[in-house]
């Protein structure tokens, strides 16, 4: 009987709390359809690793060290940054850069929306986090889970689990976070500015050259970003080359979904109660929200400044799409535009800003690595 029921006495209240957190993530995935491919395995993994002496993670027992499969996956896929980079191939294959190529000035707003990263870096440092942890926390503002994983792991942050939960949770909450922030920093008249979309044909040559040129430029100026930018752009090259259609489809669906699932389970190996339930985790969650809010504000304010000098005014809401949460943020901006004026179609403009934000966030992550790596 002791062999069967003895482990119950090892159960602590912290474990139960983590079960609750895992349950919330599962509920968000199933009931709210928020990033289910990621949040469902992450939530279930949080329960797995918080069972006393769980066989899912490495345990030091009287008989010796027993390796757990989640820790093995962590060493094989996250400790060497392999999973995030493979996921970037899938993300790159999903992205159509044509709206950005048709209107390159949109890159300005993608860059502006990274303001939250550097604001949060300063805030985290002032709150007492060591600089490498502060830099890792700041990258939550990239609104890009793979970049957050890559940077936090490369900088050997002590808060990888909390950073990843914050990054992906806030990405899923973009439709809730962004609209009230945008309304605070814009007027109704600004939100009703119409932006007619003129279709411009982008040549196949330009589509093929774009990922190559971006990789070279990023590599020359921010060499630490080459792995992130290179894998993202390689995925896009597979999409645009026209001779690897079946591979592109596999990268977009099978590869991206499989790696995301493995990421969710693997990240959960760092959500053990003893490491996760502390005041630092709450501070990281708060700082992540700050990063998202200031990313949104930064993009909108730069768009408003642009209007002071431009001959043709733009709707400043599209600046908020510069965060990397693709394509959720673009859809949010489009829906807000329609809510203000049912004939105001902002989707293509917002998508252009959104994909530029994807590039800008990866380069910002590379800059963080260059400065603090």
């Amino acid at each position: 009987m002791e062999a069967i029921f003895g482990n119950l006495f090892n159960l602590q209240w912290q474990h139960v709390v983590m079960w609750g957190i895992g349950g919330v993530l599962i509920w968000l995935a199933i009931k709210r359809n928020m990033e289910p491919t990621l949040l469902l395995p992450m939530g279930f993994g949080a329960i797995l690793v918080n069972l006393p002496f769980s066989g899912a993670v490495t345990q030091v027992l009287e008989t010796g060290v027993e390796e757990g499969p989640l820790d093995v996956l962590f060493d094989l896929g996250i400790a060497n940054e392999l999973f995030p980079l493979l996921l970037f191939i899938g993300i790159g294959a999903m992205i159509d850069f044509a709206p950005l190529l048709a209107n390159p000035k949109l890159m300005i707003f993608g860059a502006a929306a990274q303001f939250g990263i550097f604001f949060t870096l300063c805030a985290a440092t002032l709150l007492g986090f060591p600089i490498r942890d502060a830099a890792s926390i700041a990258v939550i503002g990239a609104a890009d889970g793979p970049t957050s994983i890559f940077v936090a792991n490369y900088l050997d942050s002590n808060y990888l689990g909390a950073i990843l939960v914050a990054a992906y949770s806030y990405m899923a909450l973009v439709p809730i976070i962004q609209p009230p922030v945008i309304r605070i920093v814009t007027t109704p008249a600004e939100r009703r500015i119409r932006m007619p979309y003129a279709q411009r044909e982008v040549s196949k040559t330009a589509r093929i050259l774009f990922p190559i040129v971006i990789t070279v430029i990023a590599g020359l100026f921010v060499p630490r970003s080459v792995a992130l930018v290179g894998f993202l752009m390689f995925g896009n090259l597979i999409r645009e080359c026209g001779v690897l259609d079946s591979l592109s489809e596999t990268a977009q669906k099978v590869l991206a979904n499989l790696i995301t699932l493995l990421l969710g389970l693997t990240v959960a190996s760092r959500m053990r109660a003893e490491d996760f339930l502390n005041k630092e985790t709450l501070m990281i969650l708060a700082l992540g929200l700050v990063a998202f809010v200031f990313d949104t504000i930064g993009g909108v304010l730069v768009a408003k400044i642009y209007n002071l000098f431009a001959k043709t005014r733009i709707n400043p809401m599209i600046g908020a799409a510069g965060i990397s949460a693709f394509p959720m943020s673009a859809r949010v901006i489009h829906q807000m535009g329609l809510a203000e004026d049912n004939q105001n179609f902002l989707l293509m403009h917002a998508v252009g800003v959104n994909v530029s934000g994807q590039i800008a966030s990866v380069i910002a992550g590379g800059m963080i690595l260059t400065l603090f790596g």
Side-chain angles (χ1 to χ4, degrees), residues 150 177 245:
F150 189 93
I177 296 172
D245 289 344

Side-chain angles (χ1 to χ4, degrees), residues 35-333:
E35 296 289 331
T37 312
L38 180 87
L39 293 189
L40 183 65
M42 187 183 292
F44 190 73
I47 296 172
L48 280 180
V49 303
N50 285 288
L51 294 166
F53 293 101
S54 170
V57 293
T58 300
Q59 300 288 346
V60 180
L61 306 174
E62 294 178 358
T63 55
V65 176
E66 291 187 4
E67 289 190 335
L70 293 187
D71 281 322
V72 172
L73 278 174
F74 186 92
D75 292 336
L76 293 175
I78 293 185
N80 57 10
E81 290 92 29
L82 180 62
F83 285 172
L85 294 177
L86 289 176
L87 183 56
F88 258 36
I89 294 177
I91 293 173
M94 296 177 194
I95 295 177
D96 181 2
F97 286 113
L100 176 61
L101 291 171
N103 193 3
K105 70 173 181 286
L106 297 177
M107 182 66 81
I108 297 170
F109 311 116
Q114 310 311 309
F115 172 72
I117 295 176
F118 300 97
F119 180 88
T120 306
L121 173 62
C122 298
T125 303
L126 291 174
L127 287 173
F129 285 98
I131 190 63
R132 292 167 73 90
D133 286 323
S136 301
I137 294 166
V139 179
I140 295 173
D144 187 343
T147 301
S148 297
I149 294 173
F150 189 93
V151 172
N153 191 64
Y154 190 96
L155 296 179
D156 195 25
S157 173
N158 297 312
Y159 307 105
L160 179 62
I163 288 169
L164 266 294
V165 170
Y168 278 106
S169 297
Y170 288 136
M171 281 175 60
L173 293 171
V174 161
I176 297 173
I177 296 172
Q178 281 204 309
V181 176
I182 293 170
R183 292 190 187 99
I184 289 172
V185 293
T186 58
T187 65
E190 288 174 328
R191 296 195 292 272
R192 287 194 290 267
I193 294 175
R194 292 189 178 185
M195 294 182 66
Y197 183 72
Q199 181 72 35
R200 290 180 56 188
E201 189 65 29
V202 178
S203 69
K204 182 176 180 179
T205 301
R207 288 171 177 264
I208 291 173
L209 287 177
F210 181 75
I212 298 172
V213 170
I214 289 294
T215 301
V216 172
I217 293 174
L220 290 174
F221 290 96
V222 191
R224 287 288 179 87
S225 71
V226 167
L228 292 167
V229 175
F231 276 67
L232 180 72
M233 291 300 151
F234 176 65
N236 188 249
L237 185 60
I238 292 174
R239 173 195 178 98
E240 302 296 353
C241 69
V243 294
L244 294 172
D245 289 344
S246 61
L247 191 58
S248 173
E249 186 174 343
T250 299
Q252 293 179 46
K253 297 178 180 178
V254 178
L255 178 65
N257 287 333
L258 179 60
I259 295 298
T260 302
L261 184 148
L262 291 174
L263 266 177
L265 276 173
T266 307
V267 166
S269 69
R270 295 302 182 266
M271 292 177 65
R272 301 174 209 189
E274 58 269 25
D275 301 322
F276 198 84
L277 295 179
N278 50 57
K279 66 176 183 179
E280 287 80 9
T281 297
L282 294 176
M283 292 168 68
I284 289 168
L285 293 173
L287 287 167
L289 180 59
V290 167
F292 267 66
V293 168
F294 277 88
D295 278 345
T296 300
I297 291 173
V300 171
L301 291 183
V302 168
K304 289 167 70 106
I305 293 171
Y306 175 89
N307 280 343
L308 297 176
F309 305 96
K311 293 181 180 179
T312 303
R313 299 176 71 203
I314 65 170
N315 191 309
M317 290 196 299
I318 70 169
I323 68 172
S324 180
F326 175 84
M328 284 180 291
S329 187
R331 291 172 181 165
V332 168
I333 302 308

